[in-house]
Amino acid sequence: MSGGVDSSVTASILARSEKSLDLSAIFMRNWDTRDESGTEKGCEWEKDWEDVQRVCKLLDIPCRMIDLSREYWNRVFQPALEVWSHGQTPNPDVSCNRQVERPWIILFTIQCLHCREIKFGALLDTLKLQDGWLATGHYARLERSRASNSDTRHSDVDRVKLLRGVDPVKDQSYWLSSVSEAQIRRALFPIGHLSKGDVRKLAVDAGLPTASRRESMGICFVGKKRSFSSFLDGYLPPNPGTIVTLDGEVIARHQGLWHYTIGQNARISGRPKRMFVAAKRPEKNQLIVVDDRHHPELARLMIRVTGFRWIWDEHPPPEAFQAEGMPISVKFRSVMQPIPSVLRVRDRNKGEISFMDAQYGISPGQTAVVYLGAWCLGSGTIVE
């Protein structure tokens, strides 16, 4: 549980189920505020933990807090810093959902780093859970079916598909796209078939203390008074370089490529028109800018993707290896709707995704998530 309304309603649904369920709740602390300020103040995990306890008391569910800040720092944040330092745009939350783990059991989400969610890790050693299920407040769905008679590798287990949440705005399958079928086999997403409005109404009807709590869209340990790039400045040394036009004219200087993402307004003063980031050249420490948000330099009809992690271990499907490719849809941002595309893979780990229409503002390091209809097949990292 995160302290938010989604996980609160998830707990309420299970606690008031007609089935006799043995429930307990877990709150994950994923960032040590003392690293930022030398005190426990500045991050709202205390308020989140308080809200979790209030909800659990109402529902008569035991709860406990688990500190994963060290795992998060070592296995997610530090590797992401290395990517940011080279001018790319990593997605720590997708990585975190598979990295903060120990064998067998999965632990899911609280609000945290640079986007909405965190975490998907495994904690059997900590939780001592052998045959239980783990439920979370993700807006995603799972479809279960018995393996076909011809599927000899999976004949004794259910097959599980990760599906997009019904609410197209709140769908969180993007963040879960790098986990394996084995990890989600014993997962439950009780609100994946609901809209955010439905969840709010259930919270009010159930009298949950978090029913009116506002959504947390920020980054708790970054704080409200500074930007994400200024937060990174505390961990990355200054690396000044030039900002240049396509013809090589130097028009400004930057203090580090991590301050910029492809497609954003570069905010260069004294120019007659706004300038937008078109590319980064880490080898020269240069930022390339153009004067139009839809400039041809920002348009992409194809992206190359590597490091694919497929949810089903036998994927990608055979059609993706054929010359004509496999029709799919893809998301390279969490909040966008999937766009029609074609997937062609060279091997299981890398391939190309072609778009029907030009797409803008795609940056190396972003996560490309592959869908077949509502079915999320997996994801990889965009390299160009």
Side-chain angles (χ1 to χ4, degrees):
M1 294 182 67
S2 67
V5 66
D6 298 331
S7 61
S8 298
V9 169
T10 295
S12 177
I13 290 172
L14 296 175
R16 294 167 181 179
S17 168
E18 294 180 357
K19 300 178 181 179
S20 179
L21 302 176
D22 182 12
L23 299 176
S24 61
I26 295 168
F27 172 82
M28 297 193 311
R29 180 183 178 187
N30 293 282
W31 188 262
D32 192 339
T33 314
R34 289 169 296 185
D35 292 339
E36 287 295 300
S37 63
T39 72
E40 295 287 353
K41 302 302 180 183
C43 193
E44 292 188 353
W45 73 265
E46 299 101 326
K47 176 64 165 61
D48 295 336
W49 174 227
E50 179 183 326
D51 284 343
V52 167
Q53 294 176 89
R54 291 168 63 205
V55 171
C56 288
K57 182 177 180 180
L58 175 69
L59 299 176
D60 194 24
I61 299 173
C63 59
R64 61 185 291 200
M65 177 172 65
I66 294 178
D67 191 340
L68 293 178
S69 56
R70 178 173 296 183
E71 286 92 337
Y72 184 79
W73 177 275
N74 291 334
R75 303 181 68 174
V76 179
F77 187 63
Q78 281 195 324
L81 281 178
E82 180 68 17
V83 178
W84 273 310
S85 70
H86 289 90
Q88 293 188 326
T89 305
N91 198 318
D93 291 327
V94 174
S95 172
C96 186
N97 278 334
R98 66 171 182 268
Q99 290 291 353
V100 183
E101 59 181 89
R102 299 171 198 165
W104 275 89
I105 193 171
I106 312 160
L107 203 58
F108 294 81
T109 120
I110 67 165
Q111 305 296 331
C112 198
L113 176 67
H114 196 204
C115 293
R116 311 287 187 264
E117 319 299 316
I118 204 183
K119 284 333 91 126
F120 215 96
L123 296 180
L124 180 61
D125 293 341
T126 301
L127 302 182
K128 307 298 182 185
L129 192 62
Q130 299 290 336
D131 300 314
W133 294 76
L134 197 64
T136 79
H138 280 93
Y139 287 87
R141 295 173 294 150
L142 296 174
E143 180 179 281
R144 304 175 191 272
S145 61
R146 294 300 295 177
S148 64
N149 293 332
S150 61
D151 188 355
T152 57
R153 288 189 298 174
H154 304 92
S155 58
D156 59 340
V157 297
D158 289 337
R159 300 312 308 266
V160 184
K161 293 180 178 179
L162 174 66
L163 306 182
R164 298 177 63 210
V166 168
D167 188 326
V169 176
K170 298 301 296 181
D171 168 48
Q172 291 169 313
S173 59
Y174 182 94
W175 305 110
L176 303 175
S177 61
S178 69
V179 301
S180 69
E181 182 185 17
Q183 286 177 306
I184 60 174
R185 183 164 282 121
R186 301 194 70 80
L188 298 172
F189 301 137
I191 65 170
H193 65 292
L194 301 172
S195 70
K196 185 70 177 190
D198 294 332
V199 169
R200 287 283 185 194
K201 185 176 187 305
L202 286 174
V204 171
D205 293 345
L208 297 179
T210 54
S212 60
R213 177 168 169 168
R214 295 177 60 184
E215 278 196 278
S216 174
M217 305 302 286
I219 310 163
C220 78
F221 51 81
V222 173
K224 298 180 179 180
K225 295 183 179 180
R226 56 176 172 169
S227 66
F228 187 71
S229 61
S230 64
F231 165 75
L232 289 180
D233 286 341
Y235 295 92
L236 298 172
N239 188 20
T242 56
I243 301 177
V244 303
T245 62
L246 286 176
D247 58 11
E249 178 190 359
V250 177
I251 60 173
R253 294 185 63 81
H254 67 79
Q255 295 302 310
L257 293 176
W258 59 86
H259 290 100
Y260 304 89
T261 57
I262 302 299
Q264 80 168 86
N265 182 356
R267 300 187 183 278
I268 302 172
S269 60
R271 302 294 300 180
K273 298 179 66 175
R274 289 191 297 173
M275 307 298 287
F276 299 91
V277 179
K280 301 177 184 181
R281 293 177 182 164
E283 69 281 1
K284 296 183 178 181
N285 198 19
Q286 284 185 337
L287 192 73
I288 314 302
V289 294
V290 293
D291 62 1
D292 188 339
R293 187 185 299 275
H294 294 99
H295 193 282
E297 285 293 318
L298 283 167
R300 297 289 181 270
L301 285 169
M302 184 270 290
I303 54 174
R304 290 187 171 86
V305 181
T306 189
F308 272 116
R309 290 180 178 268
W310 303 101
I311 296 175
W312 281 18
D313 57 13
E314 69 267 34
H315 280 172
E319 297 86 346
F321 290 93
Q322 298 175 2
E324 60 271 25
M326 174 184 175
I328 60 162
S329 57
V330 67
K331 293 174 68 171
F332 47 87
R333 298 187 188 93
S334 63
V335 295
M336 68 184 294
Q337 294 302 302
I339 56 174
S341 311
V342 175
L343 170 67
R344 297 178 179 86
V345 296
R346 304 173 187 175
D347 56 43
R348 193 171 189 272
N349 295 315
K350 58 187 176 183
E352 300 174 351
I353 297 176
S354 301
F355 307 126
M356 304 302 180
D357 300 303
Q359 301 297 313
Y360 295 85
I362 301 177
S363 179
Q366 286 179 304
T367 298
V369 179
V370 175
Y371 294 88
L372 195 58
W375 182 12
C376 179
L377 303 185
S379 62
T381 301
I382 299 171
V383 291
E384 63 175 302

